[in-house]
Each structure stands twice: as C-alpha cells, then as structure tokens.
Amino acid sequence: MSDATDPWLIVGLGNPGPEYAANRHNVGFMVADLLAERIGGKFKRAQKAQAQVVEGRMGPPGPASRRVILARPMSYMNLSGGPVTALRDFYKVPTDHIVAIHDELDIDYGALRLKLGGGDNGHNGLKSMTKAMGADYHRVRFGIGRPPGRMQVADFVLKDFSSAERKELGYLVDRAADSVECLLAEGLERAQSAYNS
C-alpha cells in the first residue's frame, strides 16, 4: 500500500508533435503543461522512458506538499502504457499514486469526472495503460462530448477544439489542473465533490 511519502506520477495523455498540439485528444497534455508551469518546471526528456517529465512538489509548503513527476508520454496515445510503466518503475510509484488526465467522449464538453479504477471506455491511451499495469490508477476525465452528425470518433478526437470551445478552454484546463491539486492534497472524495460535474 502507498503512504504519504510516496511520489505521485501525473500523466497527461496525448500525441507528440505540433500537428496534434491543439487536438481534443491532447487535452491531457494541456493540463500537464499548466501544472508544470504552476510548479515552475519545464518538461525534459526522461532518462528511462519514452516520455518528457518535470519533477517538483505540489501543494502547500511543509508536510502537506507532495513529490510529483509530471509526464507526457512521447509514444503516441495508443502506446502510452509502455512509457507510463517505465516511469512508474523508475520512480517507484505505487499504481494508486498514478493519475491519468485524458479526454472523455461520454461526458459533455468541459465537465470533469475524477475516479479511481474502472474500464477504458474505448480510450486507447487508457487501454494501453490498463493492459500494462492494471486498472487501479486515478483518472481525471475531461469531457469533450460526442462527435456531431456522422463524424467518426477518430476524426473528432484528432481535430482541434472549435472556436466556440476555445473561448472556454483556458478556464476549463485551469479547473482540471485545480482538480489534480485537490486530489493530491485532499483525497479523491473531496476532489470528486468539488469538481465532478
């Protein structure tokens, strides 16, 4: 079992490369980028994994502060499990101290849901992570809604947010980052009651 001194591994899921940067599928990267900014770090290449990482502390100074490793897998979404497992092993992170931040089709745009464990709901990043290390990690699910009309899911998630969505995106990414900080500082139940919508 994990204890308060164990580090946390916070993984923003997405695809590497500038052509994907503003896609709906990359909202996990967007939240990880903001968290890195908040702890004053810059992503650098991980030594032992195909990922970029930032190490630091999150939360108030003193005993309540948590050691964190923020990560962006550089393997493409559907292979995320390999880099995440390598980072987990290298940093000795218990699986229940891993948080995956990802886009979620079955939730309205901008709504958040935090949970521990569960299925992958067809999300290839989660599918890869669960196959590599089991399902007992936290998820911060960022709603992107369903594709309009007959648009294929794969096309929808690999498109940039619409101009209407972009008006709110900064605020929503900020709120998702707040929810991660709350999860680490106050636990899942408190974070769920404050941020689940």
Side-chain angles (χ1 to χ4, degrees):
M1 268 311 280
S2 54
D3 69 38
T5 60
D6 285 320
W8 284 79
L9 174 59
I10 299 163
V11 183
L13 293 179
N15 286 308
E19 68 273 33
Y20 298 107
N23 288 180
R24 292 182 177 93
H25 224 19
N26 270 43
V27 74
F29 274 20
M30 296 172 198
V31 177
D33 288 346
L34 178 57
L35 288 167
E37 206 177 287
R38 287 183 180 184
I39 67 170
K42 287 204 181 333
F43 279 100
K44 61 182 192 300
R45 201 163 155 228
Q47 289 179 326
K48 302 286 181 186
Q50 193 180 355
Q52 294 177 336
V53 293
V54 175
E55 294 180 57
R57 296 198 80 80
M58 199 175 277
S65 145
R66 302 279 179 259
R67 182 175 164 229
V68 296
I69 300 98
L70 296 170
R72 300 190 304 190
M74 293 285 116
S75 58
Y76 291 100
M77 181 68 87
N78 58 353
L79 300 171
S80 301
V84 176
T85 305
L87 291 169
R88 178 199 66 179
D89 295 347
F90 180 71
Y91 288 104
K92 299 180 173 49
V93 179
T95 305
D96 68 349
H97 272 215
I98 296 172
V99 182
I101 309 164
H102 64 93
D103 57 306
E104 179 62 65
L105 286 159
D106 286 338
I107 302 175
D108 290 341
Y109 173 65
L112 288 177
R113 302 266 168 79
L114 285 78
K115 69 176 198 171
L116 174 63
D120 57 54
N121 212 14
H123 192 287
N124 288 330
L126 296 182
K127 202 176 282 183
S128 177
M129 283 180 61
T130 297
K131 188 176 174 193
M133 61 187 195
D136 295 330
Y137 53 90
H138 289 86
R139 299 102 193 274
V140 174
R141 305 158 75 204
F142 187 110
I144 60 169
R146 300 294 306 182
R150 295 176 176 224
M151 186 188 285
Q152 293 294 312
V153 165
D155 295 334
F156 179 68
V157 300
L158 293 175
K159 277 202 171 6
D160 291 358
F161 285 101
S162 70
S163 54
E165 289 169 335
R166 280 199 300 273
K167 290 190 175 109
E168 283 187 284
L169 186 59
Y171 163 76
L172 297 169
V173 166
D174 199 59
R175 193 166 177 273
D178 290 347
S179 79
V180 174
E181 293 194 1
C182 181
L183 170 65
L184 268 59
E186 300 184 51
L188 179 61
E189 278 183 34
R190 184 69 64 88
Q192 285 174 324
S193 65
Y195 292 96
N196 277 15
S197 49

